[in-house]
Amino acid sequence: MQNVYGYKTKKGEQKYYVKITIDNKQYIKRGFDSKRSASSYIPTLINSYKKKSEYICEDLTKRFIDYLYSRYKEASAYRYSNLYNQHLLPYFGKLKVSKVTNHVLETFNNNVNKIKLKSITNIIFLAKVYVMFLRKYGLDPAVTESNLYVFKKQYVEPKKFDYYTYEEFEKLLSVIDSPMYKLIFLLLFDYGLRMGELRGLKHSDIVMDKVYIKRAVSNKTGSHKQVITSVKSSASLRDYPLLIPIRYAYEEYAESIKHKNDDFLFPSTKKKGCVIGETTIKRAQVEYCKRANLKVIKLHEFRHSCATYLFNKGAEIELVASWLGHADTSTTIRVYAHLLPSRKTKMAQYFQ
């Protein structure tokens, strides 16, 4: 266990000290002027006191997982933890930290790049994070992340997904008898919200003629707890005009419930203080699809339905990217590349 603590000197000065535990023994170093300087001294303190039988990489697994959760959002940390267990641990696990060399990293890099996986970029990124982490436990400073990189990408087919046409969505709406679910599916289709953004909405986010996207709610991995997080990126902090169908749906829904302005828009009916779960929404969708004789798509594919509708209506890439809350148009192009050939056909007229 490693920690940085603050204390006051007799003169009232703010100082910091490091306390670490190695083999059930505590070691302390005092006198640091800042938390950063104290934290950066940890590797030196470890190397000063640890036994000759150095750290084995697999023995640091729990510490690395904790490190991931301290640096990244819940969902990202969970994804990286799985990648670590699948790809890094089997390769590095039995090695002593001192045996992790540039050649070892090069070999790992070559092996990973031979795997036909879409997650290669994430694996290489995680390996770089792992190298930085191992430096705290005696990794030679000469071992660098420059040995880790993604080879030239081969052609990858555009992602494929299912979606509802506007006519199919109207058919779905026609069988929904719940004001709450009518509002939920309108928000998903018309604004293309991510599920976390939908669940994070509060009544106070609907103001006059605007709908504000300020936060997200996700389930904490490995438990039934929910966590409120920031949205995916700064571009995801956005607002929408309050569309007429959504205005009417919200007014109908708000009249049917008791609520305070700062309450979440869609609270759970089973757990006090929580918001509605994705599984609950999915069950309702499946039931409504049966009534409407419609295919069942993934909840995230309502977002794709929104983008597809906008592109088919002739919306510019920049506008679609902004509407969906993408950080830049490259994400929009990558996901919806298959919708763009029609735009090229339109451009061809200038050469005829």
Side-chain angles (χ1 to χ4, degrees):
M1 184 72 180
Q2 306 163 13
N3 283 294
V4 175
Y5 301 90
Y7 68 95
K8 295 281 188 180
T9 64
K10 291 182 178 180
K11 294 182 179 181
E13 297 176 322
Q14 179 66 48
K15 294 287 184 178
Y16 297 89
Y17 70 92
V18 174
K19 180 171 68 174
I20 64 171
T21 302
I22 300 177
D23 298 328
N24 297 319
K25 293 182 179 180
Q26 286 190 345
Y27 300 93
I28 296 176
K29 177 68 175 179
R30 295 178 178 273
F32 297 99
D33 294 327
S34 67
K35 287 184 179 180
R36 178 175 292 184
S37 60
S39 180
S40 64
Y41 188 78
I42 290 176
T44 303
L45 190 60
I46 290 173
N47 290 330
S48 299
Y49 291 106
K50 71 180 182 180
K51 293 182 177 181
K52 293 182 179 179
S53 58
E54 308 169 64
Y55 288 104
I56 307 296
C57 287
E58 66 181 358
D59 294 338
L60 298 171
T61 293
K62 186 179 183 306
R63 298 185 192 187
F64 182 59
I65 300 300
D66 291 343
Y67 177 73
L68 292 176
Y69 275 89
S70 69
R71 284 175 58 99
Y72 303 103
K73 289 184 178 180
E74 188 80 22
S76 297
Y78 177 71
R79 185 171 68 252
Y80 290 146
S81 299
N82 287 337
L83 288 177
Y84 168 77
N85 287 321
Q86 292 172 21
H87 301 285
L88 273 66
L89 184 58
Y91 185 83
F92 295 99
K94 301 299 180 183
L95 293 175
K96 290 183 177 180
V97 174
S98 64
K99 298 298 181 182
V100 178
T101 62
N102 284 320
H103 176 69
V104 168
L105 293 185
E106 288 172 7
T107 304
F108 172 79
N109 189 72
N110 293 339
N111 291 341
V112 169
N113 275 281
K114 291 176 183 177
I115 304 172
K116 293 184 178 180
L117 286 175
K118 293 181 180 178
S119 56
I120 286 179
T121 301
N122 287 333
I123 296 171
I124 296 300
F125 170 77
L126 182 62
K128 291 182 178 181
V129 174
Y130 190 55
V131 169
M132 292 188 289
F133 168 79
L134 290 181
R135 287 206 179 99
K136 295 182 179 182
Y137 299 92
L139 181 68
D140 188 337
V143 179
T144 68
E145 303 95 299
S146 61
N147 298 288
L148 300 164
Y149 57 94
V150 179
F151 292 170
K152 185 177 180 180
K153 294 182 179 179
Q154 297 179 342
Y155 174 75
V156 179
E157 291 186 2
K159 290 183 177 180
K160 295 182 179 179
F161 51 79
D162 209 346
Y163 63 92
Y164 287 142
T165 63
Y166 185 77
E167 291 72 22
E168 288 173 326
F169 179 64
E170 286 286 296
K171 192 175 180 182
L172 177 67
L173 278 184
S174 69
V175 301
I176 299 177
D177 51 8
S178 162
M180 181 184 74
Y181 283 115
K182 182 171 287 187
L183 179 59
I184 283 176
F185 291 118
L186 275 167
L187 288 167
L188 290 177
F189 185 93
D190 287 359
Y191 293 150
L193 299 185
R194 301 176 179 94
M195 285 305 300
E197 294 171 345
L198 173 86
R199 298 169 72 205
L201 282 171
K202 292 185 175 183
H203 288 274
S204 58
D205 295 328
I206 300 178
V207 181
M208 299 297 288
D209 59 346
K210 295 283 188 180
V211 177
Y212 293 90
I213 309 302
K214 300 178 179 179
R215 72 194 71 76
V217 171
S218 62
N219 288 0
K220 190 171 184 179
T221 306
S223 71
H224 298 291
K225 294 181 179 179
Q226 295 177 346
V227 291
I228 301 172
T229 66
S230 59
V231 289
K232 193 169 185 179
S233 67
S234 58
S236 298
L237 278 170
R238 59 201 190 278
D239 61 75
Y240 293 102
L242 183 57
L243 302 177
I244 292 176
I246 292 178
R247 180 194 295 275
Y248 289 157
Y250 173 69
E251 290 174 352
E252 182 183 4
Y253 170 60
E255 288 178 2
S256 67
I257 60 171
K258 292 182 179 180
H259 68 276
K260 295 179 181 179
N261 196 39
D262 201 42
D263 287 345
F264 281 101
L265 198 56
F266 305 113
S268 171
T269 57
K270 297 179 180 179
K271 297 179 182 178
K272 190 175 181 180
C274 292
V275 300
I276 192 170
E278 288 189 37
T279 303
T280 303
I281 299 174
K282 188 66 182 180
R283 287 198 193 102
Q285 182 207 356
V286 171
E287 176 58 33
Y288 291 132
C289 285
K290 287 181 181 177
R291 295 184 193 179
N293 195 26
L294 279 175
K295 62 191 175 187
V296 178
I297 65 174
K298 296 176 182 177
L299 291 175
H300 188 74
E301 287 175 332
F302 278 88
R303 182 171 169 82
H304 296 323
S305 300
C306 174
T308 301
Y309 174 74
L310 292 174
F311 274 124
N312 288 338
K313 282 292 185 178
E316 297 295 325
I317 294 175
E318 294 79 8
L319 294 177
V320 176
S322 175
W323 191 262
L324 296 178
H326 285 162
D328 55 63
T329 57
S330 63
T331 302
T332 317
I333 294 172
R334 174 173 53 81
V335 177
Y336 301 107
H338 63 291
L339 297 175
L340 303 180
S342 60
R343 299 165 64 84
K344 294 179 181 177
T345 302
K346 186 177 179 180
M347 291 293 291
Q349 65 181 317
Y350 297 112
F351 297 91
Q352 294 178 357

